[in-house]
Amino acid sequence: LTFSVPIGFSSQPDDDQVNVMGFCFLGGSRVTLLASKTSQRYRIQSEQFEDLWLITNELILRLQEYFEKQGIKDFACSFSGSMPLQEYFELIDHHFELRVNGQKLEELLSERAVQFRAIQRRLLTRFKDKTPAPLQHLDTLLDGTYKQVIALAEAVEENQANVFQAFARLKSATHLMILLIGLWQKLSADQVAILEAAFLPLQDDPQELGWEETVDAAVSHLLKTCLSKSSKEQALNLNSHLDVPKDTSRLKKHITLLCDRLAKGGRLCLSADAATPQTIVMPGGCTPIPESDLEEKSTEQDSTEPFASHKPLVNELPASEDSTLQGLVE
């Protein structure tokens, strides 16, 4: 992936400075920074999309510091390219896929653990019997199940490490997206802070409440309040719990819609009076918007039920399953 980040400004450093610089991260990825000699632009390119954030952010900070020392007050950075949503969505899909795989592995590990303990109980019963019956290959089955439990436990640990790495990459890409949106729409510090609060929740991606459903709820709330197109979209329809989504399509639609409404002049704000049009003061909460016809249709249901309790994010186990398995999965 080669990605360009053109950043224009009102003045530029001396022409005799070096116009290209390369960086190599500890992980092995490389980032190249090129300054145009004919136009007031910088190009930053890398093989990994998320690696662009650190260099881009550092470049802006150093440019601001440089021109501040020069006494230039009209300095400004801007981003004129299209939003790299496709690259960002690929990182979201990868992170969510690892989360789903982790849940499947833990469920399978729980099943094998229940099977292992059941075989142990049967073997102990045979050994305690005064007239023991043949083992009927229970010892072989116990050994095979034990190997499966060990292999699954190692797979769970490996997947957890991959999820941690994928989440770190996702956070870096999210920082980059917020930075680009701020430059693209010339957002104020308060508006950028709202984006950071929506896309960068405080928790470190716990399994019970993941990044995808948390960010989807926050972005949906912005779309229903300050970025709403009509008073109908502001009708209260609060959801009392967050569920693990089946896929990331809903989240990606909401992020795309947020960028589209910002491009059409939407304003990020926390005050209900500043939203236009705004007829209802929203209590704390979040409401997802409908999946289909995002631009034309909006929900008209009205609900004032406050957040009471959170539904468990893992689907309930069938009643026939072992209680130990249910405890491990939950």
Side-chain angles (χ1 to χ4, degrees):
L1 169 66
T2 300
F3 174 71
S4 300
V5 185
I7 303 178
F9 48 87
S10 57
S11 302
Q12 62 180 0
D14 298 334
D15 294 335
D16 57 352
Q17 292 185 357
V18 178
N19 68 327
V20 61
M21 182 178 296
F23 302 88
C24 182
F25 292 157
L26 294 178
S29 59
R30 293 179 172 83
V31 180
T32 304
L33 170 63
L34 302 97
S36 175
K37 293 183 178 181
T38 58
S39 62
Q40 299 174 344
R41 291 176 178 266
Y42 283 97
R43 178 187 296 268
I44 304 176
Q45 57 189 26
S46 174
E47 298 176 353
Q48 302 291 338
F49 172 73
E50 63 276 7
D51 294 338
L52 296 173
W53 169 67
L54 184 60
I55 303 302
T56 304
N57 184 67
E58 186 65 23
L59 172 64
I60 294 175
L61 293 177
R62 295 200 178 194
L63 286 175
Q64 291 175 345
E65 181 181 0
Y66 174 83
F67 287 106
E68 183 178 354
K69 291 181 179 179
Q70 297 294 324
I72 301 176
K73 299 181 179 180
D74 59 347
F75 167 77
C77 295
S78 63
F79 175 75
S80 58
S82 59
M83 284 294 105
L85 294 178
Q86 184 61 37
E87 291 81 2
Y88 185 52
F89 290 161
E90 290 177 0
L91 292 173
I92 294 177
D93 290 335
H94 178 62
H95 174 260
F96 184 75
E97 181 181 358
L98 290 175
R99 283 187 60 198
V100 174
N101 290 339
Q103 291 181 353
K104 293 179 179 179
L105 287 173
E106 290 187 359
E107 291 175 359
L108 187 57
L109 176 61
S110 299
E111 294 176 359
R112 292 296 179 268
V114 171
Q115 177 180 333
F116 183 77
R117 289 192 293 270
I119 298 173
Q120 280 184 322
R121 288 193 295 268
R122 295 185 63 181
L123 281 174
L124 290 174
T125 302
R126 297 287 179 91
F127 291 150
K128 291 180 180 179
D129 193 355
K130 295 182 179 180
T131 57
L135 295 180
Q136 297 178 345
H137 303 289
L138 283 178
D139 54 340
T140 304
L141 185 59
L142 180 68
D143 181 67
T145 305
Y146 174 76
K147 292 180 179 179
Q148 290 180 356
V149 169
I150 296 300
L152 286 171
E154 294 176 352
V156 169
E157 291 182 354
E158 181 181 359
N159 187 82
Q160 289 176 348
N162 293 334
V163 170
F164 178 81
Q165 182 180 9
F167 185 61
R169 296 174 59 187
L170 179 59
K171 286 181 63 177
S172 180
T174 302
H175 279 291
L176 177 62
M177 288 296 299
I178 294 174
L179 178 62
L180 295 183
I181 293 175
L183 296 176
W184 175 45
Q185 292 298 318
K186 297 179 175 59
L187 301 181
S188 64
D190 292 338
Q191 292 175 312
V192 172
I194 294 176
L195 280 181
E196 291 177 348
F199 283 89
L200 296 171
L202 297 179
Q203 68 269 17
D204 293 331
D205 195 38
Q207 186 175 2
E208 295 79 9
L209 186 61
W211 182 89
E212 285 79 9
E213 52 266 33
T214 306
V215 173
D216 184 37
V219 173
S220 299
H221 179 67
L222 293 178
L223 293 173
K224 296 286 290 185
T225 53
C226 56
L227 295 179
S228 61
K229 296 181 63 177
S230 63
S231 58
K232 291 183 179 181
E233 289 190 358
Q234 298 171 7
L236 298 179
N237 185 20
L238 302 180
N239 196 5
S240 60
H241 59 269
L242 298 178
D243 293 326
V244 178
K246 296 181 180 179
D247 51 45
T248 59
S249 59
R250 181 182 180 85
L251 172 61
K252 292 186 290 187
K253 287 180 181 179
H254 288 170
I255 295 177
T256 303
L257 185 55
L258 180 141
C259 294
D260 181 67
R261 292 191 179 179
L262 286 176
K264 293 180 179 179
R267 178 186 175 189
L268 291 170
C269 60
L270 295 178
S271 175
D273 296 334
T276 306
Q278 182 74 32
T279 59
I280 301 176
V281 178
M282 297 287 291
C286 55
T287 305
I289 62 177
E291 287 286 343
S292 60
D293 301 332
L294 293 175
E295 290 291 347
E296 302 296 335
K297 298 181 180 180
S298 61
T299 181
E300 298 181 1
Q301 297 179 354
D302 213 5
S303 173
T304 58
E305 180 181 357
F307 287 95
S309 59
H310 292 274
K311 181 179 179 181
L313 298 181
V314 181
N315 295 333
E316 295 183 359
L317 296 173
S320 59
E321 293 192 10
D322 190 274
S323 59
T324 307
L325 172 58
Q326 183 176 358
L328 289 173
V329 174
E330 291 179 355

